Amino acid sequence: MRQFFKYVLATIVGVIVLSIVSTLLLLALIAGLASSDKTITVAENSVLELKLDKPIGERGFENPLAGFTGGQASTLGLHELKTAIRRATKDGDIKGIFLNLELVQGGMASLEEIRHELLEFKKSGKFIVSYADAQSEKSYYLASVADKLYLNPQGTLEFNGLSSEPTYFKGLFDKLGVDVQIFRVGTYKSAVEPYFRTSMSDSARLQTSTFLNSINNAMLADVAASRSIAPARLKLISDSMLVHNADDAKRLKLVTDLGYYDQATDYMKGKLGLKKDAKLSLLDLGDYAKNNEDDLGSGTDKIAVVYAEGDIVTGKGGNSSIGSTRFAEAIRKARLDDKVKAVVLRINSPGGSSLASDIIYREVMLTKKVKPVIASMSDVAASGGYFIAMGCDTIVAHPTTITGSIGVFGVLPNLGPFLSDKIGITTDRVTTGKFSDFPTVTRALTPYEQQQFQQEINRIYADFTTKAAAGRNMPVERLRRFASGRVWSGTDAKARGLVDVLGSMDDALRIAARRAKLKEGDYRIQQLPRQKTFAEELMSSFGTEARQRAVKEEMGPFYPMYEQYKKLSEMRGAQARLPFELNVR
């Protein structure tokens, strides 16, 4: 009888929990649908406030239960953000933009596109005011376009150049007894260095220093133009770290005013002819962007924009990855649609699976035969990201785009010593042939197996460089001088013929329209692949993403190491990836 009541009680508790979860889902779904249908009325004398306090992606992503399920965080869409600024430029009720920026989470090319839109906004005669309690290098890059730059009198401004600090795991693997077997082609293909080195190789240091300086110089040139300070003077300020506090920033003319938030808003009230005790109408970017839906143009002809963002993987992939099946289908759909007259492939990817990259490349080549295909490189389009771009008719990159990394590697960990010596697990095997268990992670490869693995990597590298040379219309011997896994900035890549044009996404669209003989206003933009609906995103927030949060909370500061191990274990087949986990700050 006691067992009976036990099961009844468990059933009741389960029903209650299910009811609570279902209610939460329903409420979130209703709230989300209501929010998505909400139309914003803009009051007279409004100011559009840009906080940019979420990661910036190519397309916006809203996860209403991110805090509840631990799923992917919401992101600001670059396209939606640019569209909102353009609408504000023409909106008679909006008189200015307020940049309320501290930490900006976006790549340099994305910030360059936003900065360009802000400069266009200024040309309309409207004002831009920025304020920060503390300002990072990236947020200052955006804020430098402002007419008035307020910095908290006790605040700080980071202006000391860029850096990249990769993490190395050889010491950890040595302690665990994990032997990582590496196969690669290219002096500069340093994506695998964290697994067998404790510091940068000379070649990795050289290439990182080269592209970081190129990106930094481009940033300084933009800031110099906006602040009317000589580039050489700015570089001296940066290299010597002359900015230690807010007073230094004001004295060196990096900001115009030291003041608090209320003083910045009072200044804007004055610009609008309002009294200090009047209420300033600040319009939230997220609300204003809800009115963007009619920005994709008109007409029956279309230009398809295929957004490829994240790691390149085989299969369908997910929200933050480029699945070969899903993206090949998207490009194929654009090719077979007679109303699509040109395709723009927008790439923001460090690379990934060589096989997946080749599947997408094939669809690019087939599409190129029947209509123009233009590549638009965002923050990163390297290795596999370059692979899917190299077949396009024209490659457009920002000066600050990180690209190149034409190289291939393979990784196969030997976990045998770790399993047996550290946790007491052993394995045995029965095979029908000498190599039936190849490849395996529970023993070291034999010299013959290592030779076969390396030969396959060499073959894939030869295929990569041959196709890249054909796409770039240059002898393969010349292209290989710029390959070997080396990473370039967009500026340096163009100088070497790896990129055709330095420009933005809008430049890529103009080139596509011109090649397709389409006039401005006679076509509309079709965005591919299809994004999940709100309900689909809501349901996918549970499950694997909830598990990820649980693992993250359990492992705490060791989670990044777990992520590296997870990536290592998932690297099946040859990889075309950017060197190490690149984090420019």
Side-chain angles (χ1 to χ4, degrees), residues 535-553:
E536 289 170 336
E537 293 291 4
L538 191 63
M539 295 307 296
S540 66
S541 295
F542 292 91
T544 58
E545 292 179 340
R547 182 185 62 81
Q548 182 185 28
R549 180 181 184 182
V551 173
K552 187 180 292 186
E553 290 178 350

Side-chain angles (χ1 to χ4, degrees), residues 279-391:
K279 182 179 180 181
L280 180 65
S281 177
L282 286 176
L283 188 58
D284 178 77
L285 169 66
D287 290 337
Y288 190 67
K290 286 187 173 71
N291 298 340
N292 284 348
E293 67 274 341
D294 60 349
D295 182 63
L296 298 178
S298 58
T300 56
D301 292 334
K302 297 181 287 187
I303 293 178
V305 177
V306 182
Y307 289 94
E309 183 172 20
D311 287 350
I312 301 174
V313 299
T314 54
K316 284 193 171 294
N319 288 326
S320 56
S321 62
I322 305 168
S324 58
T325 302
R326 183 163 162 248
F327 279 82
E329 287 175 353
I331 298 171
R332 191 179 306 126
K333 179 180 179 180
R335 181 176 76 250
L336 298 176
D337 187 343
D338 292 336
K339 293 182 180 179
V340 172
K341 305 302 180 182
V343 177
V344 173
L345 186 59
R346 177 66 170 180
I347 304 167
N348 197 352
S349 172
S353 164
S354 174
L355 171 61
S357 300
D358 193 63
I359 291 170
I360 298 171
Y361 166 82
R362 172 63 177 174
E363 291 299 329
V364 170
M365 294 301 291
L366 291 174
T367 305
K368 179 182 175 180
K369 293 178 180 179
V370 295
K371 56 191 69 175
V373 184
I374 312 299
S376 172
M377 294 180 168
S378 184
D379 304 317
V380 181
S383 208
Y386 188 84
F387 198 120
I388 65 177
M390 66 191 183

Side-chain angles (χ1 to χ4, degrees), residues 172-436:
L172 173 65
F173 289 157
D174 287 347
K175 291 180 183 296
L176 293 177
V178 175
D179 175 31
V180 182
Q181 301 163 103
I182 306 295
F183 306 88
R184 60 174 176 163
V185 180
T187 306
Y188 294 93
K189 198 62 183 176
S190 49
V192 289
E193 285 191 0
Y195 305 130
F196 70 92
R197 291 183 60 90
T198 57
S199 62
M200 282 186 179
S201 65
D202 291 341
S203 58
R205 188 175 301 278
L206 172 63
Q207 73 168 350
T208 305
S209 174
T210 300
F211 72 71
L212 274 184
N213 276 287
S214 178
I215 293 171
N216 191 52
N217 290 338
M219 288 178 60
L220 290 176
D222 288 342
V223 173
S226 293
R227 304 316 315 154
S228 299
I229 304 174
R233 173 64 176 159
L234 272 184
K235 185 159 178 56
L236 175 65
I237 294 171
S238 174
D239 290 350
S240 304
M241 202 175 74
L242 298 182
V243 182
H244 300 285
N245 51 51
D247 290 326
D248 292 336
K250 174 74 162 55
R251 176 175 52 81
L252 295 168
K253 300 182 179 179
L254 296 180
V255 299
T256 61
D257 295 85
L258 301 185
Y260 294 93
Y261 179 89
D262 60 283
Q263 292 173 298
T265 55
D266 283 346
Y267 172 80
M268 288 187 285
K269 289 177 186 178
K271 292 286 290 183
L272 297 172
L274 302 175
K275 294 180 180 180
K276 284 191 176 182
D277 59 352
K279 182 179 180 181
L280 180 65
S281 177
L282 286 176
L283 188 58
D284 178 77
L285 169 66
D287 290 337
Y288 190 67
K290 286 187 173 71
N291 298 340
N292 284 348
E293 67 274 341
D294 60 349
D295 182 63
L296 298 178
S298 58
T300 56
D301 292 334
K302 297 181 287 187
I303 293 178
V305 177
V306 182
Y307 289 94
E309 183 172 20
D311 287 350
I312 301 174
V313 299
T314 54
K316 284 193 171 294
N319 288 326
S320 56
S321 62
I322 305 168
S324 58
T325 302
R326 183 163 162 248
F327 279 82
E329 287 175 353
I331 298 171
R332 191 179 306 126
K333 179 180 179 180
R335 181 176 76 250
L336 298 176
D337 187 343
D338 292 336
K339 293 182 180 179
V340 172
K341 305 302 180 182
V343 177
V344 173
L345 186 59
R346 177 66 170 180
I347 304 167
N348 197 352
S349 172
S353 164
S354 174
L355 171 61
S357 300
D358 193 63
I359 291 170
I360 298 171
Y361 166 82
R362 172 63 177 174
E363 291 299 329
V364 170
M365 294 301 291
L366 291 174
T367 305
K368 179 182 175 180
K369 293 178 180 179
V370 295
K371 56 191 69 175
V373 184
I374 312 299
S376 172
M377 294 180 168
S378 184
D379 304 317
V380 181
S383 208
Y386 188 84
F387 198 120
I388 65 177
M390 66 191 183
C392 295
D393 297 291
T394 303
I395 298 179
V396 182
H398 289 266
T400 55
T401 295
I402 295 171
T403 188
S405 191
I406 301 171
V408 185
F409 71 87
V411 179
L412 189 66
N414 173 18
L415 303 179
F418 165 71
L419 293 172
S420 61
D421 299 342
K422 303 297 181 181
I423 57 178
I425 296 176
T426 58
T427 62
D428 205 346
R429 56 182 47 82
V430 175
T431 64
T432 59
K434 189 176 181 180
F435 305 108
S436 298

Side-chain angles (χ1 to χ4, degrees), residues 129-161:
V129 174
S130 77
Y131 172 81
D133 292 320
Q135 201 146 48
S136 68
E137 199 105 22
K138 288 182 177 180
S139 67
Y140 180 72
Y141 176 66
L142 287 181
S144 62
V145 307
D147 305 287
K148 277 278 192 179
L149 285 85
Y150 282 88
L151 181 63
N152 187 301
Q154 301 303 316
T156 57
L157 190 155
E158 181 187 356
F159 196 78
N160 55 359

